[in-house]
Amino acid sequence: MGLRENQFGTVFRLRATHPLGYIRRMAEHHHEHDHEEGSTLTDMDLRVRALETILVDKGYIEPAALDRIVELYETKIGPHIGAQVIAKAWCDAAFKQALLDDASKAVATIAQQVGSVGEHLIAVENTPQLHNMIVCTLCSCYPTDVLGLPPTWYKSFAYRSRVVKEPRAVLADFGVALPAETEIRVWDSTAETRYVVVPMRPAGTEGWSEERLAKLVTRDSMVGTGLAKNSSEVA
Amino acid sequence: MDGVHDMGGMDGFGKVEPEPNEPVFHHPWEGRVLAMSRAIGVFRAWTIDTSRHAIEMMAPSFYLSRPYYEKWFVRNQNLLIEKGIVDADEVEAGRALRPAKNLPRGPFSLDDIDKVTKRGSFYRPAQGPAQFKIGDRVRTKNFHPKHHTRLPRYARGHVGVVERLHGTHAFPDSVASGKGDDPHWLYTVRFDAQELWGADAEPGSKVSIEAFEPYLEEG
């Protein structure tokens, strides 16, 4: 069938098998030309710019506001937020309990440090006996408030299809192997609840500051496809 | 609907391939699409369930072959036209041809940024007591509605245990069908992998879904 993953992590069909409907649509909205992946980007630039222009001209949006949203997701709302939350939970048993009891409420109490959090956030804790993983098989639901926008692999068909059926095989794709006796628990985010994993605190980090601990907390460790870094990996 | 979006348990999509140092957006237009989606959301012209359903209804060949944010873009454009916010001939022309109809408020501006960076609440007042309690055995229904639903195919007709109770939430099946919130109790239901995948399950794993009460019956 000529299926392969491209750099977006989405599956592209080779040109010969592009759905006719799509080519027709492209031709309607733009010029008639052969459709190739390289020109898709240009086409998308044009189409997106056109729609933005229409919305601006009609008075629905101000371009500066769109600039700010892009900037926020590129620079302000990301996994460093979750990393601060996890590091605090590792240091402060009362905070960890509050986080596991009601993550939305607990994160809101430190919102001055980490930004805002909405409703329905749930934290689940990894232990030597239990390893948690998060997925959205139906679309791309993700704990954006604490992790930012999802990486491409999280939205990929491979991850969405496989992790509920063969989580250990998916972990192997990430280079992670867990003891056979560790139970793996996969949380499919099929409603508006959003899950975030509390990874295990690495050995050899006794007495570390929250700031230093946060450097060990990777995005993948908070989704469950990775573990926190070893203490030796951080200065 | 039994769409291609409902991917849990399918084979054939290959390995998961994380991209080292992945940028938030791979192309500037992706960021504009995300930003437009968030800004349009403030107008409340449609719900998150409607927008999910709009993507699910795309042709399977399109869904499987186009980049993530292109699907978002097509969804936005189609819904903007459907709701009369933008006209089809304007999209064709690539510019506005007439003033906005019934502009509900001023343009989305820098003053509105807080509205898009904090998730709203989907809690709704309870319409009655919860039918199930934590620890109950429940069976998911075997249904195949043509409309939007959040009960994945792989988890239909299986017995699990109620693990968490999340209060009452707006019911996506109703909201996406234009029939209002119709709030229902929401549960986390946990299944043994073997219940879902039989002898082909990886040993020692469990899977949970978030299940609205109408998806469940006594186990």
Side-chain angles (χ1 to χ4, degrees):
Chain A
M1 281 294 269
L3 291 178
R4 66 183 177 82
E5 295 270 335
N6 79 337
Q7 73 271 30
F8 303 103
T10 52
V11 178
F12 263 67
R13 264 167 216 279
L14 294 183
R15 185 179 146 207
T17 57
H18 264 311
L20 278 178
Y22 179 72
I23 291 182
R24 204 171 293 132
R25 196 165 319 163
M26 295 300 298
E28 279 166 12
H29 288 293
H30 295 287
H31 33 279
E32 308 257 6
H33 65 79
D34 238 356
H35 178 69
E36 294 179 16
E37 281 182 31
S39 66
T40 302
L41 306 183
T42 309
D43 283 333
M44 286 312 299
D45 280 335
L46 294 172
R47 295 168 74 195
V48 172
R49 199 168 300 160
L51 186 62
E52 183 177 329
T53 303
I54 294 167
L55 289 169
V56 170
D57 288 351
K58 289 174 86 77
Y60 286 107
I61 52 178
E62 287 178 358
L66 297 189
D67 295 343
R68 178 65 63 83
I69 295 174
V70 172
E71 184 194 337
L72 282 171
Y73 283 105
E74 282 188 326
T75 64
K76 296 279 193 295
I77 304 171
H80 61 278
I81 296 174
Q84 273 180 269
V85 173
I86 301 303
K88 187 173 182 64
W90 283 347
C91 293
D92 178 342
F95 178 77
K96 182 163 101 176
Q97 195 54 52
L99 184 68
L100 296 174
D101 290 344
D102 185 336
S104 285
K105 224 179 254 176
V107 176
T109 62
I110 56 165
Q112 296 296 331
Q113 294 157 258
V114 301
S116 66
V117 63
E119 298 282 359
H120 316 306
L121 183 67
I122 297 168
V124 290
E125 185 183 17
N126 283 353
T127 67
Q129 291 77 37
L130 177 69
H131 181 85
N132 295 284
M133 302 179 76
I134 312 302
V135 66
C136 172
T137 61
L138 296 173
C139 49
S140 53
C141 301
Y142 188 73
T144 305
D145 287 341
V146 286
L147 298 190
L149 294 172
T152 298
W153 63 257
Y154 183 84
K155 303 178 285 188
S156 72
F157 305 150
Y159 185 72
R160 288 167 52 197
S161 63
R162 289 176 55 210
V163 75
V164 288
K165 191 157 85 178
E166 43 179 2
R168 281 180 190 273
V170 169
L171 284 172
D173 287 352
F174 286 84
V176 175
L178 296 174
E181 59 272 21
T182 301
E183 177 185 316
I184 298 185
R185 169 62 179 280
V186 182
W187 302 79
D188 192 353
S189 310
T190 56
E192 295 309 330
T193 39
R194 293 290 176 271
Y195 285 85
V196 61
V197 175
V198 181
M200 284 193 288
R201 179 172 175 164
T205 58
E206 295 74 17
W208 284 31
S209 67
E210 284 180 31
E211 194 184 0
R212 194 169 169 211
L213 285 168
K215 293 178 185 168
L216 299 170
V217 187
T218 63
R219 177 196 62 205
D220 291 2
S221 75
M222 293 182 279
V223 183
T225 55
L227 308 175
K229 290 180 184 172
N230 289 323
S231 57
S232 59
E233 292 179 72
V234 167
Chain B
M1 62 179 284
D2 289 347
V4 71
H5 68 282
D6 186 356
M7 297 188 148
M10 288 175 71
D11 292 321
F13 290 115
K15 287 181 65 154
V16 183
E17 297 187 54
E19 179 186 338
N21 303 313
E22 181 180 350
V24 174
F25 301 111
H26 291 78
H27 304 281
W29 66 263
E30 297 183 340
R32 304 313 281 185
V33 171
L34 182 279
M36 266 189 268
S37 301
R38 290 282 195 269
I40 293 164
V42 170
F43 289 98
R44 300 198 186 288
W46 57 77
T47 66
I48 190 165
D49 297 302
T50 301
S51 71
R52 286 193 187 116
H53 191 40
I55 286 183
E56 293 164 9
M57 286 191 297
M58 292 175 182
S61 56
F62 186 83
Y63 185 98
L64 291 171
S65 61
R66 307 312 305 163
Y68 181 79
Y69 283 114
E70 182 176 340
K71 283 179 270 190
W72 276 40
F73 170 78
V74 170
R75 182 265 319 274
N76 291 349
Q77 190 163 274
N78 289 348
L79 285 176
L80 285 166
I81 292 170
E82 187 185 313
K83 304 294 180 191
I85 294 168
V86 162
D87 293 319
D89 58 349
E90 295 178 307
V91 168
E92 190 84 17
R95 59 193 168 85
L97 298 175
R98 53 194 72 85
K101 284 174 281 193
N102 309 318
L103 190 64
R105 35 160 287 158
F108 180 90
S109 72
L110 287 170
D111 296 336
D112 298 307
I113 294 294
D114 288 349
K115 297 190 180 80
V116 302
T117 54
K118 183 168 179 174
R119 285 189 85 216
S121 177
F122 292 81
Y123 287 130
R124 299 291 184 270
Q127 308 296 299
Q131 192 186 338
F132 305 106
K133 60 183 187 304
I134 290 169
D136 282 357
R137 271 167 58 94
V138 289
R139 179 183 290 277
T140 49
K141 288 183 184 165
N142 176 18
F143 63 45
H144 298 270
K146 297 295 182 192
H147 58 67
H148 178 72
T149 186
R150 296 291 288 181
L151 179 59
R153 273 202 292 279
Y154 76 85
R156 294 179 193 166
H158 288 294
V159 174
V161 174
V162 172
E163 184 175 294
R164 290 171 184 242
L165 180 53
H166 301 292
T168 49
H169 289 225
F171 184 41
D173 304 46
S174 172
V175 174
S177 303
K179 294 177 182 168
D181 281 345
D182 187 21
H184 285 286
W185 290 94
L186 179 66
Y187 305 87
T188 296
V189 176
R190 183 188 66 227
F191 306 91
D192 284 332
Q194 209 156 12
E195 166 70 17
L196 300 176
W197 315 111
D200 295 312
E202 283 185 0
S205 63
K206 293 187 167 67
V207 178
S208 62
I209 60 165
E210 310 294 84
F212 291 88
E213 197 166 272
Y215 299 166
L216 304 174
E217 50 200 21
E218 285 175 27

